[in-house]
Amino acid sequence: MQIYNSLTRKKEEFVPVEAGKVHMYVCGPTVYNYFHIGNARPFIIFDVLRRYFESRGYDVTFVQNFTDIDDKMIQRANEEGITVSQLAERFIGEYFTDAKAMGIRPATVHPRATEHIPQIIELIQHLVDKGLAYAVNGDVYYRVRAFDHYGQLLNQSLDDLESGARVGVEDMKEDPLDFALWKAQKPGEPAWDSPWGKGRPGWHIECSAMSMAYLGETFDIHGGGKDLLFPHHTNEIAQSEGATGKPYVHYWMHNGFINIDNEKMSKSKGNFFTVRDISKEYDLETVRMFMLSAHYRSPVNFSRDLIAQAASSLQRLYGARDQLMFLQGGAADRAPNAVEQAAMDAGDAALAKFNAAMDDDLNTADAIGAMFELVREIFKLSPTGVSRDAVLHLQQRLEQMAGVLGLLTKQADELPADIRAMVDERAQARKEKNWKRSDELRDAITTAGYILEDTAAGQKVRKREL
RNA sequence: GGUGCCAUAGCCAAGCGGUAAGGCGAAGGUCUGCAAAACCUUUAUUCCCCGGUUCAAAUCCGGGUGGCACCUCCA
């Protein structure tokens, strides 16, 4: 598999540290609010990456943190009149609600910063001991100039960074670029004991401490949004490699932004949509479909119209899934004929194309194209008397692709009795050519959230998923 | 000032040197009591513009034009 590595700015062949295993870390949310659609992109992308590795037989350890202590957490908790940990508890719960609705599986581990204070302190102490960090008045800063290749991820020299750096108010720092590893307690803030007095960890250090705690000092993949390149990931490298003297991460992956009207969506601009808001209007699987329909490194615009397009596309996928179940009902236990064999071969070709696309730096857009090529073969099969082997063959391919992308997650349940009764009554009405009654029943069934279609083999009913 | 990214049909979007995937939408046809779904056909002789390299360029190089991002909390 080829992966675009932000560190080298090239696609590279993926070679795991440990054969057969993948260790990956993705920066999770700061749990002070519902997460927005921009946050959702990396969650979905890396969930797909994880699923793909698993489908290729890798044993994946996937770590995604919760940042549960920082300025925004403290501010929000104060506004709400609750403790920081109560706030965290609430929005961690909300994270899982939204994530589940988007088909994002829980990570192997979801570590929280506040539960790893000893590891964080140990790491900071190590940096201080090595002369890479220094304490001032209860704060501890990283001495950026003491680390050889600071800024490699950004492709910027220290001096270039310096010229762009804002003149800090924190003049206790030796250099404007130095960043906080530990912040001394201010009145009313939660704090933990440390060798430098009471305080709390800075943002960057938690990811270094927690990733290495669960994945080792050198691991395979670290992901996040492009805006994390600097300073967050740049600082993580400085902290981790400064402490261990070893390479921290082999492959850095960064997803592009979600834009609104071609402008970056961000908390500071206020032009963002939370996933929770969108869920009131659209099924969140549609959002997943939307995200995967473009390459993860490209910027994508978000709009109602685009979500609607994604919904239509997904509908076709569900139609194919349901068609396969329908075909099974009328399938024959015989060997595939020439036409069916051709469809099976085309299905295999589509799967091969799908895997090749995923192997090419997780090209989900191309992979979805392959999936639709399979869909076309499914719909071309004769509605009745088709070879069961052929149906099962295509079904297996579809399920495999859908499983990797995390799509088609809605179950097709048994029809409720009242719907069943209407369908049966309509069959009778149609037999009697009572079109009026027949149409009334179809309308009622539609209103109840089901899609009824007349086919050569009789009525076909399925739940409207989206 | 420094560092990058992007420009493909009405919309979205692959493509990474060998003669334009796929989806949405639209039009016509088939099937149907009607509808829906599906199937068939049509919808980019051309990939922002100008040069260059090559037998061959949407793809590589140079120069424009237009848009975006990072260097500051942010996925």
Side-chain angles (χ1 to χ4, degrees):
Chain A
M1 180 179 192
Q2 297 276 316
I3 287 178
Y4 180 87
N5 191 348
S6 304
L7 199 59
T8 56
R9 290 173 293 281
K10 284 196 294 253
K11 279 187 197 173
E12 296 174 356
E13 181 65 28
F14 177 71
V15 182
V17 172
E18 209 178 324
K21 296 189 174 176
V22 176
H23 291 101
M24 53 189 279
Y25 185 93
V26 172
C27 294
T30 300
V31 284
Y32 71 108
N33 202 346
Y34 296 105
F35 65 86
H36 63 64
I37 187 164
N39 297 305
R41 172 120 96 146
F43 301 157
I44 291 170
I45 295 297
F46 292 106
D47 178 67
V48 169
L49 180 63
R50 175 221 201 151
R51 288 166 183 262
Y52 183 61
F53 275 128
E54 287 177 351
S55 85
R56 300 308 294 256
Y58 284 98
D59 179 13
V60 182
T61 304
F62 177 36
V63 179
Q64 183 177 104
N65 70 300
F66 285 119
T67 296
D68 60 352
I69 178 68
D70 82 335
D71 293 341
K72 287 169 301 198
M73 291 291 298
I74 293 167
Q75 190 190 333
R76 184 69 193 266
N78 284 153
E79 287 167 11
E80 304 261 314
I82 57 177
T83 66
V84 167
S85 84
Q86 283 169 331
L87 179 71
E89 215 50 53
R90 175 178 168 205
F91 284 109
I92 285 172
E94 303 290 12
Y95 166 84
F96 284 115
T97 300
D98 288 339
K100 188 177 179 195
M102 288 194 293
I104 299 165
R105 290 165 51 201
T108 315
V109 192
H110 282 281
R112 307 180 190 187
T114 58
E115 292 175 354
H116 294 79
I117 300 294
Q119 291 90 330
I120 289 169
I121 289 174
E122 190 187 344
L123 184 56
I124 296 174
Q125 184 64 58
H126 195 47
L127 289 168
V128 171
D129 292 345
K130 290 184 80 169
L132 287 164
Y134 56 95
V136 191
N137 298 337
D139 290 340
V140 182
Y141 296 100
Y142 192 98
R143 185 174 278 127
V144 165
R145 297 262 170 195
F147 181 67
D148 283 348
H149 32 281
Y150 187 81
Q152 187 185 169
L153 209 44
L154 242 204
N155 198 23
Q156 296 262 35
S157 73
L158 265 174
D159 293 329
D160 288 338
L161 283 171
E162 190 95 43
S163 68
R166 186 182 279 177
V167 184
V169 240
E170 303 128 300
D171 31 36
M172 293 176 295
K173 294 196 285 190
E174 292 176 1
D175 186 289
L177 253 24
D178 290 352
F179 58 92
L181 299 171
W182 187 262
K183 298 180 174 183
Q185 180 181 28
K186 296 190 190 103
E189 288 185 357
W192 290 263
D193 287 320
S194 82
W196 317 283
K198 277 185 167 292
R200 60 184 170 90
W203 174 38
H204 314 298
I205 195 72
E206 66 172 89
C207 284
S208 283
M210 293 190 285
S211 60
M212 292 196 290
Y214 292 96
L215 300 171
E217 294 181 339
T218 299
F219 58 94
D220 299 302
I221 295 172
H222 191 130
K226 269 195 165 75
D227 48 353
L228 260 27
L229 246 12
F230 186 89
H232 190 53
H233 291 336
T234 295
N235 290 168
E236 272 189 69
I237 292 174
Q239 292 162 346
S240 299
E241 299 192 354
T244 68
K246 298 175 190 167
Y248 174 43
V249 168
H250 283 336
Y251 306 90
W252 285 90
M253 296 177 71
H254 293 92
N255 61 273
F257 294 119
I258 304 284
N259 295 147
I260 305 289
D261 296 329
N262 280 317
E263 285 218 334
K264 181 182 170 182
M265 167 164 65
S266 68
K267 291 174 182 176
S268 54
K269 285 185 185 165
N271 61 340
F272 62 91
F273 295 93
T274 66
V275 165
R276 184 60 58 93
D277 284 340
I278 293 164
S279 74
K280 288 166 189 158
E281 243 183 296
Y282 298 96
D283 186 285
L284 292 181
E285 191 175 351
T286 298
V287 173
R288 189 180 180 98
M289 182 74 186
F290 166 73
M291 297 275 189
L292 298 179
S293 62
H295 188 93
Y296 76 90
R297 283 190 282 118
S298 310
V300 293
N301 251 315
F302 178 81
S303 74
R304 187 173 303 262
D305 182 50
L306 265 13
I307 290 291
Q309 286 190 17
S312 297
S313 298
L314 229 204
Q315 197 61 55
R316 181 166 163 83
L317 250 29
Y318 268 107
R321 184 201 68 173
D322 293 345
Q323 177 70 3
L324 285 166
M325 290 189 292
F326 177 76
L327 289 175
Q328 279 189 61
D333 292 307
R334 58 164 175 77
N337 61 30
V339 173
E340 290 160 350
Q341 188 57 54
M344 291 161 74
D345 293 344
D348 288 346
L351 181 59
K353 182 181 166 185
F354 179 93
N355 284 135
M358 296 298 281
D359 273 338
D360 183 15
D361 193 31
L362 209 70
N363 192 336
T364 54
D366 208 13
I368 287 173
M371 203 170 173
F372 278 105
E373 287 172 22
L374 173 67
V375 165
R376 196 188 311 128
E377 297 302 324
I378 290 167
F379 279 125
K380 277 200 231 171
L381 290 176
S382 155
T384 54
V386 67
S387 158
R388 191 176 307 282
D389 288 349
V391 174
L392 264 22
H393 187 92
L394 294 180
Q395 187 168 47
Q396 192 279 329
R397 271 58 182 173
L398 185 69
E399 280 174 2
Q400 185 171 340
M401 296 183 200
V404 168
L405 297 178
L407 297 171
L408 300 184
T409 54
K410 308 257 185 299
Q411 294 304 307
D413 298 323
E414 282 288 300
L415 285 182
D418 57 327
I419 302 291
R420 184 80 258 166
M422 286 194 277
V423 171
D424 291 343
E425 190 191 339
R426 183 168 178 277
Q428 187 58 36
R430 294 191 74 228
K431 202 176 284 178
E432 296 162 3
K433 298 201 188 295
N434 183 349
W435 307 128
K436 184 165 177 292
R437 182 60 184 153
S438 165
D439 290 347
E440 281 170 10
L441 286 161
R442 182 169 59 198
D443 289 346
I445 290 164
T446 303
T447 305
Y450 289 79
I451 297 167
L452 184 146
E453 293 160 10
D454 294 315
T455 74
Q459 299 182 90
K460 187 169 139 190
V461 194
R462 62 198 167 96
K463 195 170 198 305
R464 176 180 291 281
E465 310 287 3
L466 305 166

